[in-house]
Amino acid sequence: MKLIHIKLSILVAAFISLTSCSSDDDNNSDALTGENNVSLEFDNSMNGDDLILGASTYTNSNDETLTINRLNYIVSNFVLIDEEGNEFIYPKDESYFVISEENALNEVVLTNIPAGKYVQMRFGVGVDQEKYQQGAEGQGDFLQIAEENNMMWAWQAGYKFLNFEGTFTAPSIASSTDFKIHMGSHGSTLDNYKEVTVNLPSTAMVSDEMTPLIHLEVDANQILDGEHKIYLSEAPVVMVDEVKSPQIAENTSTMFEVHHVHNGEGGHH
């Protein structure tokens, strides 16, 4: 009897041990559930310095000294990518935003993002042809937002993806001269819409309790001083240019980098 009792005790102890391990595993589960908002903050700068409109001067590698009076751009078509490569495509009709330094539009809130661990983000700079070809009626509220922030030429000419303005001096131009860089697509012949993929330096955790803030540093110096060197002294106004407009579009697509991710706790904003 004593031997049976000992064996039974061992079995009971093993069972308790197994169930407690199972319980601990459940409690420590890293599965995220529900949905929440993801906030994106666009922090505009010039080659590492804060961008201050109208107040500071910035000298680029073209030896041109700029004072920036306007920096507006369109970001769109957001996609969040988790650690397994699954993509959550944000609803297209809600996925167009203007970032404007002068109007203090520097935050985008993506709502109802499903729970997950997101490690990359993809988005567009500008408005894609598919959206534009839906006509003025197909733009929803975004058309008015773009007009209010100086991001339209006229409907037939389309959206300005980038509106970058100020004054500059250069070795060959001593007096302060106005510059205007307006970049966008022009019909189907000049499509300057670009997609950007950025890596997140730490995982953005989304759940019913977790609502992350993704902080992007945006280096506007890249617009003129990126892979393609755009000299304002050659052309202080660039709007529809078959050579320079696509180069500016490529430069602009490289100005985004995620600086950090803050995983805040809280419910829906």
Side-chain angles (χ1 to χ4, degrees), residues 21-22 103 115 118 123 157 162 171 173 178 197 236 240-241 259 265 267:
C21 284
S22 173
N103 295 328
Y118 297 100
F123 59 93
L162 169 73
I173 302 175
D178 290 344
T197 301
V240 184
D241 187 303
H259 183 264
E265 295 187 4

Side-chain angles (χ1 to χ4, degrees), residues 34-38 77-92 94-95 109-123 206:
E35 61 181 27
N36 218 320
N37 297 344
V38 173
N77 294 317
F78 284 88
V79 178
L80 292 171
I81 304 164
D82 71 16
E83 57 189 2
E84 295 174 356
N86 301 310
E87 297 188 348
F88 173 71
I89 300 172
Y90 197 66
K92 188 171 177 61
E94 302 167 28
S95 202
V109 179
L110 305 178
T111 59
N112 303 318
I113 304 300
K117 301 175 181 179
Y118 297 100
V119 297
Q120 275 188 324
M121 181 170 65
R122 188 170 70 245
F123 59 93
V206 180

Side-chain angles (χ1 to χ4, degrees), residues 153 159-162 181-185 192 239 245 248-249 252:
W153 276 293
Y159 292 99
K160 300 173 187 176
F161 302 170
L162 169 73
I181 305 294
H182 296 177
M183 180 273 292
S185 292
N192 285 320
M239 293 192 185
S245 292
I248 290 166
T252 300

Side-chain angles (χ1 to χ4, degrees), residues 176-193:
S176 183
T177 302
D178 290 344
F179 74 85
K180 291 185 178 183
I181 305 294
H182 296 177
M183 180 273 292
S185 292
H186 304 283
S188 57
T189 56
L190 197 58
D191 184 1
N192 285 320
Y193 173 79

Side-chain angles (χ1 to χ4, degrees), residues 41-157:
E41 187 175 86
F42 291 81
D43 186 3
N44 297 314
S45 63
M46 283 288 288
N47 203 21
D49 295 325
D50 282 342
L51 177 61
I52 303 172
L53 295 181
S56 296
T57 58
Y58 310 91
T59 302
N60 60 28
S61 73
N62 300 338
D63 205 17
E64 296 177 336
T65 300
L66 286 65
T67 300
I68 315 301
N69 296 326
R70 171 173 288 162
L71 174 64
N72 299 348
Y73 48 91
I74 294 173
V75 288
S76 60
N77 294 317
F78 284 88
V79 178
L80 292 171
I81 304 164
D82 71 16
E83 57 189 2
E84 295 174 356
N86 301 310
E87 297 188 348
F88 173 71
I89 300 172
Y90 197 66
K92 188 171 177 61
D93 287 344
E94 302 167 28
S95 202
Y96 296 84
F97 306 90
V98 172
I99 304 299
S100 171
E101 186 71 20
E102 63 187 323
N103 295 328
L105 299 176
N106 65 350
E107 188 175 20
V108 167
V109 179
L110 305 178
T111 59
N112 303 318
I113 304 300
K117 301 175 181 179
Y118 297 100
V119 297
Q120 275 188 324
M121 181 170 65
R122 188 170 70 245
F123 59 93
V125 180
V127 177
D128 53 290
Q129 288 285 333
E130 181 187 344
K131 182 68 170 177
Y132 178 67
Q133 288 170 4
Q134 291 177 0
E137 305 76 25
Q139 308 304 302
D141 295 338
F142 183 68
L143 186 59
Q144 183 178 347
I145 293 168
E147 288 175 339
E148 289 171 352
N149 288 280
N150 298 290
M151 300 306 283
M152 294 290 298
W153 276 293
W155 175 248
Q156 292 303 322

